[in-house]
Every structure is written in C-alpha cells, then in structure tokens.
Amino acid sequence: MYTVIDVAKYIILFCKEHGYSISNLKLQKLLYFVQAQFLLIRNQPAFKETIEAWDFGPVVPVAYQFFKFWGNAEIPSLVAEGAKEKILESDQAVMNEILEECAPYPASRLVEITHRQTPWREAYQKNRNNIITQMSIEEYFKNN
C-alpha cells in the first residue's frame, strides 16, 4: 500500500507523459478510480487515506490539501519528479489500465460520471463530507 501523495504524483506523471491536463479536481476523481481498480484487481486499497463525498464528487482530503496550492490550474510536472520509483512496476500497470481509460476525460466529465455512481450518491449529503467506504466502492465496481 502506498501513500495517497505517492499515488497522486504517479497519476500526475502519467497525465503529463500522455499529454492530458491534470488539475486538483481531476486528480481527485482519478484517485477514486485508481482506488477502485486496486480493490478489484489486488483485493486491497492502493492507499489507506479515506475518500469523502464532496459537492464535486469523490475527494481524498489529504491529497486535496497537498495540491490545493494550484487551485483549478494545471498541476506542474515538477511535482511528480521521482514518482515512478515509489510505485512497483506491477502496480503501475494496474494504475495505467484505469488511467488510460479515465485520464483522457476532462474533470467535468469525471465529476458527472462519479455523481451517477452509487458510492458517491449514497455517501453524499450537502455540507457534510461523509466517507465513501472502500466496501461501497468495491461492491459497486464488482457489479458494474
């Protein structure tokens, strides 16, 4: 298991290497999808930090705080230096599979997608940052 910051930096590097934009909003959705992929493929989470249901979809508060300096702007590639060294190659392959599918989408589309999914819908309450459980993520993605 990795820290969410190491996973986030890997996601940023992946996006930069493939020519995709990456803001904090988009990063949060990609973290959610990577977590889902690990729960499905590895039967364990990619990171231990919790995911919460915020207005604009799933958010990992620790990662949000770490990258909030960039606001809604592009996160620079400099942030992701050394990211590949922190993630095992076999785990990079698991991450790449879902990132190849999701990273081409703009943040707004990823928000729309997550808003239609049960884990966010069941956890979300306006003005409350309820946790989206790993169990709800795993159950949803196993069945859909």
Side-chain angles (χ1 to χ4, degrees):
M1 192 175 330
Y2 304 100
T3 69
V4 72
I5 302 306
D6 287 340
V7 174
K9 287 179 178 182
Y10 182 80
I11 291 169
I12 293 164
L13 182 63
F14 178 94
C15 287
K16 294 299 182 180
E17 288 180 344
H18 291 83
Y20 302 127
S21 67
I22 183 77
S23 63
N24 197 1
L25 179 62
K26 183 173 179 177
L27 175 62
Q28 298 305 314
K29 304 322 145 231
L30 294 176
L31 284 166
Y32 165 79
F33 287 117
V34 164
Q35 187 76 312
Q37 184 79 346
F38 261 71
L39 291 168
L40 279 178
I41 304 295
R42 294 275 192 253
N43 292 316
Q44 67 179 24
F47 52 87
K48 68 176 175 6
E49 293 84 355
T50 59
I51 299 175
E52 295 180 355
W54 288 19
D55 289 345
F56 290 100
V59 171
V60 183
V62 171
Y64 176 82
Q65 292 299 323
F66 191 89
F67 294 101
K68 76 177 182 181
F69 173 80
W70 287 278
N72 63 358
E74 187 77 14
I75 299 173
S77 56
L78 182 64
V79 170
E81 273 188 16
K84 281 189 179 176
E85 288 75 35
K86 302 246 178 150
I87 309 288
L88 293 173
E89 279 188 36
S90 60
D91 290 338
Q92 289 179 32
V94 172
M95 291 180 196
N96 291 352
E97 186 178 333
I98 193 68
L99 292 173
E100 286 167 4
E101 186 176 331
C102 297
Y105 291 110
S108 59
R109 179 74 177 115
L110 295 174
V111 169
E112 288 173 22
I113 291 168
T114 59
H115 276 199
R116 283 186 292 207
Q117 296 179 341
T118 308
W120 180 84
R121 285 190 7 244
E122 288 183 348
Y124 180 73
Q125 289 180 296
K126 190 156 184 65
N127 300 320
R128 300 189 63 152
N129 297 337
N130 294 326
I131 291 174
I132 300 173
T133 66
Q134 289 178 7
M135 188 180 351
S136 71
I137 296 169
E138 190 171 12
E139 281 179 27
Y140 176 79
F141 284 93
K142 275 186 181 172
N143 297 318
N144 293 287

